[in-house]
């Protein structure tokens, strides 16, 4: 199953600004260097000047924290304004690659989503991965209640949402939030690798998966 990304769009209006030609040229050059446009860069500069956190700034700080926390554990595989992609390898035949894409939403109740994709055409490994996805979702639902997931061949999606009963959630910094997201990704990756290692013994694989998730619950201050 797949879903539409909900949420109310961030409201933007058109305004006229009188700027000197030299300032515009400098803005355009910096925007080109950063891979953005004039309006977005001016919006960012003004927001920083008045200490207003825009959705783009919020996303950038969270992704930066995730990247720094996971540095060394994953190989970077691309990055955009609201997405961070990383890869790792399974200790399985031919060491197939697993790709994690973290996309943060600009608005709405959900924080974003993690997309996990298995880069292999091995039918046995794809079957193991599909079983893992189903069992992982079942474990989360057993301990956490309802969750939002997407499933496809060699693909798994998990929507991230801050639990409303986490009183600490409103007090944490964006850097701390990025750390919690990174912790979740690390747990998910560890669960997948161990499940694949013990896949020949389904009872053992499920026991290990349950243990990894319970350890995550015992360590995480904020749950996603």
């Amino acid at each position: 199953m797949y879903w539409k990304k909900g949420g109310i769009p961030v409201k933007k209006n058109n305004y006229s600004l009188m700027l000197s030609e030299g300032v515009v040229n400098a803005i355009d050059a910096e925007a080109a260097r950063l891979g953005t446009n004039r309006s977005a860069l001016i919006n960012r500069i003004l927001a920083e000047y008045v200490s207003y956190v825009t959705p783009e700034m919020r996303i950038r700080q969270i992704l930066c924290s995730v990247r720094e926390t996971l540095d060394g554990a994953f190989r970077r595989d691309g990055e955009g304004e609201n997405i961070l992609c990383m890869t790792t390898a399974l200790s399985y035949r031919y060491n197939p690659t697993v790709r994690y894409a973290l996309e943060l939403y600009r608005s709405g109740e959900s924080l974003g989503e993690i997309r996990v994709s298995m880069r292999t055409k091995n039918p046995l490994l794809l079957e193991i991965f599909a079983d893992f996805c189903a069992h992982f979702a079942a474990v989360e639902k057993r301990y956490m209640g309802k969750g939002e997931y997407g499933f496809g061949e060699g693909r798994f999606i998990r929507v991230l949402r801050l639990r409303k009963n986490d009183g600490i959630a409103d007090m944490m910094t964006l850097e701390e939030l990025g750390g919690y997201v990174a912790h979740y990704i690390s747990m998910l990756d560890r669960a997948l690798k161990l499940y694949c290692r013990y896949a020949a013994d389904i009872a053992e694989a499920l026991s290990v998966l349950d243990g990894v998730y319970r350890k995550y619950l015992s360590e995480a201050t904020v749950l996603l």
Side-chain angles (χ1 to χ4, degrees):
M1 65 174 182
Y2 292 93
W3 56 89
K4 293 182 179 179
K5 296 175 187 176
I8 301 173
V10 177
K11 184 178 180 181
K12 293 186 177 181
N13 295 313
N14 291 322
Y15 297 97
S16 296
L17 296 175
M18 299 294 293
L19 302 173
S20 69
E21 184 176 352
V23 170
V24 172
N25 291 337
I27 289 291
D28 287 347
E30 181 65 7
R33 186 185 72 82
L34 295 174
T36 185
N37 57 58
R38 180 191 297 169
S39 296
L41 181 56
I42 291 175
N43 188 72
R44 172 177 165 182
I45 291 171
L46 293 176
E48 290 176 349
Y49 185 81
V50 298
S51 299
Y52 173 76
V53 179
T54 67
E56 291 77 15
M57 292 167 62
R58 172 177 168 272
I59 288 172
R60 190 164 59 250
Q61 290 183 43
I62 295 173
L63 290 182
C64 181
S65 177
V66 173
R67 185 173 60 249
E68 291 178 354
T69 303
L70 297 178
D71 185 39
F74 295 84
R75 185 167 54 254
R76 227 178 293 177
D77 190 44
E79 188 171 355
E81 290 186 355
N82 67 323
I83 190 169
L84 174 64
C85 301
M86 304 163 290
T87 62
T88 186
L90 289 178
S91 297
Y92 196 78
R93 302 171 190 172
Y94 312 113
N95 296 319
T97 298
V98 182
R99 187 174 190 261
Y100 293 86
L102 169 64
E103 179 181 353
L104 299 181
Y105 302 158
R106 287 182 169 82
S107 61
E109 294 183 357
S110 299
L111 176 64
E113 66 183 45
I114 297 172
R115 299 190 293 271
V116 187
S117 55
M118 184 73 71
R119 292 180 172 177
T120 182
K121 294 183 179 179
N122 184 315
L124 176 59
L125 185 54
L126 288 174
E127 182 180 348
I128 291 173
F129 179 71
D131 290 342
F132 163 78
C133 296
H135 290 309
F136 181 84
V139 168
E140 279 209 317
K141 289 179 180 179
R142 183 165 70 248
Y143 287 109
M144 297 288 291
K146 185 178 180 181
E148 294 178 84
Y149 306 91
F151 302 89
E153 184 176 0
R155 193 174 186 222
F156 176 64
I157 302 176
R158 166 65 153 84
V159 172
L160 301 176
R161 183 190 295 263
L162 287 173
R163 307 287 166 167
K164 294 186 181 299
N165 60 348
D166 285 331
I168 194 174
D170 293 333
M171 302 174 61
M172 65 183 168
T173 65
L174 294 176
E175 289 75 15
E176 290 172 333
L177 176 55
Y180 294 127
V181 174
H183 187 193
Y184 184 89
I185 294 174
S186 293
M187 177 276 295
L188 179 58
D189 183 61
R190 176 171 172 74
L192 172 59
K193 289 176 177 177
L194 288 176
Y195 185 92
C196 290
R197 181 187 302 177
Y198 295 102
D201 184 343
I202 187 62
E204 182 67 16
L206 291 176
S207 175
V208 169
L209 173 58
D210 187 81
V212 170
Y213 198 78
R214 282 190 288 106
K215 186 173 187 294
Y216 163 73
L217 291 177
S218 68
E219 295 175 346
T221 306
V222 172
L223 302 175
L224 301 169

